[in-house]
Amino acid sequence: MPIYQASLEEQEKIASFLSLIDERIEVQNAIIKEREAQKAALLRRLFDCTLRFPEFTDEWTQTTIGEICKVSTGEMNTQDKIEDGMYPFYVRSSKIERANRYTYDGVAILTPGDGAIGQIFHYSKGKIAVHQRVYMLTEMQCIPKYLFHCFSARFFGRVNRMSAKNTVDSVRMNMITDMPIPLPSLPEQKKIAALLSAIDERIAVEKEYAALLQKQKAYLLRQMFV
């Protein structure tokens, strides 16, 4: 394999410079992991009711997802995706595809019925297309963002407990509709949702910066070794 060979002094400078970028990327990834761990710990305490905002003292009610929203699946197939389609198309992966027609218009929480079960969740507002193996939570009788955070924090554990194997092949409707959900008052739901959404936004910013560092490193590598 042919390579360019600079003087030892220049090699040293290049290696040192790129190592500094690698260290910054490692630090940034560590920051993201720490923030995600902090969020996970906060989620457990919030939804176990062991951590509350001081202005709220009333008892929470226990309900199920099926009692506070409609649960259904989409209508479209993978073949319906179009690269530059007009509407977001939610399929069985974290990637959001595009389609030229929509099947739902409104607020929805979405999770795949097979594949990475309990690991992919989307919150959507507006016109969307939905794959037939993606579950939709709609017509919510609670603060939608509260339900999104509570559902996404607990569903993976629920499906694992319901399976005798290490993995779950597919989601059955009752896994979602019968899932217990703790429900505080609407003002407390709103406050919890706002806090967790702010944390998510901060994590998203940190991830964008990590991606930017990776792009910067790739660009420098191309420029240095060409």
Side-chain angles (χ1 to χ4, degrees):
M1 178 180 173
I3 61 169
Y4 292 102
Q5 187 168 352
S7 66
L8 288 176
E9 183 182 1
E10 191 172 1
Q11 289 179 39
E12 216 167 81
K13 282 193 173 184
I14 291 171
S16 177
F17 178 63
L18 292 174
S19 294
L20 284 174
I21 295 177
D22 281 340
E23 287 170 15
R24 186 64 191 91
I25 290 171
E26 286 178 13
V27 168
Q28 188 62 24
N29 288 335
I31 289 170
I32 292 167
K33 284 184 180 179
E34 184 179 355
R35 291 196 186 279
E36 288 177 335
Q38 288 171 348
K39 181 192 172 187
L42 183 61
L43 284 168
R44 285 193 297 272
R45 295 193 63 195
L46 282 172
F47 296 128
D48 288 344
C49 215
T50 56
L51 177 66
R52 298 185 69 182
F53 295 101
E55 64 268 36
F56 299 106
T57 56
D58 51 322
E59 292 289 323
W60 290 20
T61 59
Q62 290 292 326
T63 185
T64 63
I65 285 181
E67 290 175 329
I68 59 171
C69 70
K70 177 183 176 182
V71 182
S72 59
T73 55
E75 304 171 13
M76 297 180 71
N77 298 309
T78 307
Q79 294 88 336
D80 294 318
K81 70 179 181 181
I82 296 174
E83 188 171 341
D84 298 317
M86 295 174 60
Y87 306 104
F89 180 20
Y90 292 90
V91 295
R92 294 168 293 175
S93 72
S94 57
K95 182 182 179 183
I96 302 172
E97 303 286 357
R98 306 294 297 182
N100 265 347
R101 66 183 179 93
Y102 68 91
T103 55
Y104 177 75
D105 184 4
V107 178
I109 298 167
L110 305 111
T111 192
D114 50 37
I117 292 171
Q119 300 171 61
I120 298 172
F121 300 91
H122 299 284
Y123 180 89
S124 173
K125 292 175 71 174
K127 295 179 174 69
I128 58 172
V130 184
H131 190 276
Q132 61 181 340
R133 284 300 297 146
V134 172
Y135 283 91
M136 304 166 52
L137 280 60
T138 58
E139 301 177 20
M140 287 157 267
Q141 302 168 31
C142 61
I143 302 297
K145 268 292 178 77
Y146 170 84
L147 182 59
F148 170 76
H149 287 296
C150 191
F151 178 54
S152 58
R154 292 185 157 200
F155 189 55
F156 182 74
R158 173 172 170 79
V159 292
N160 277 349
R161 288 192 298 272
M162 294 179 75
S163 174
K165 303 181 297 180
N166 291 330
T167 58
V168 178
D169 295 326
S170 63
V171 174
R172 299 186 301 276
M173 182 76 76
N174 71 309
M175 287 180 173
I176 298 176
T177 55
D178 297 343
M179 179 176 168
I181 289 288
L183 209 60
S185 64
L186 286 175
E188 192 170 3
Q189 288 178 42
K190 191 177 290 186
K191 198 146 189 180
I192 290 171
L195 171 64
L196 294 173
S197 295
I199 293 170
D200 278 347
E201 288 169 12
R202 184 60 193 166
I203 291 172
V205 168
E206 300 289 4
K207 286 182 176 179
E208 284 177 12
Y209 184 51
L212 187 64
L213 288 171
Q214 291 284 6
K215 285 182 181 178
Q216 183 185 49
K217 179 187 174 184
Y219 172 78
L220 290 169
L221 284 169
R222 287 195 303 271
Q223 296 301 310
M224 285 180 171
F225 297 120
V226 171

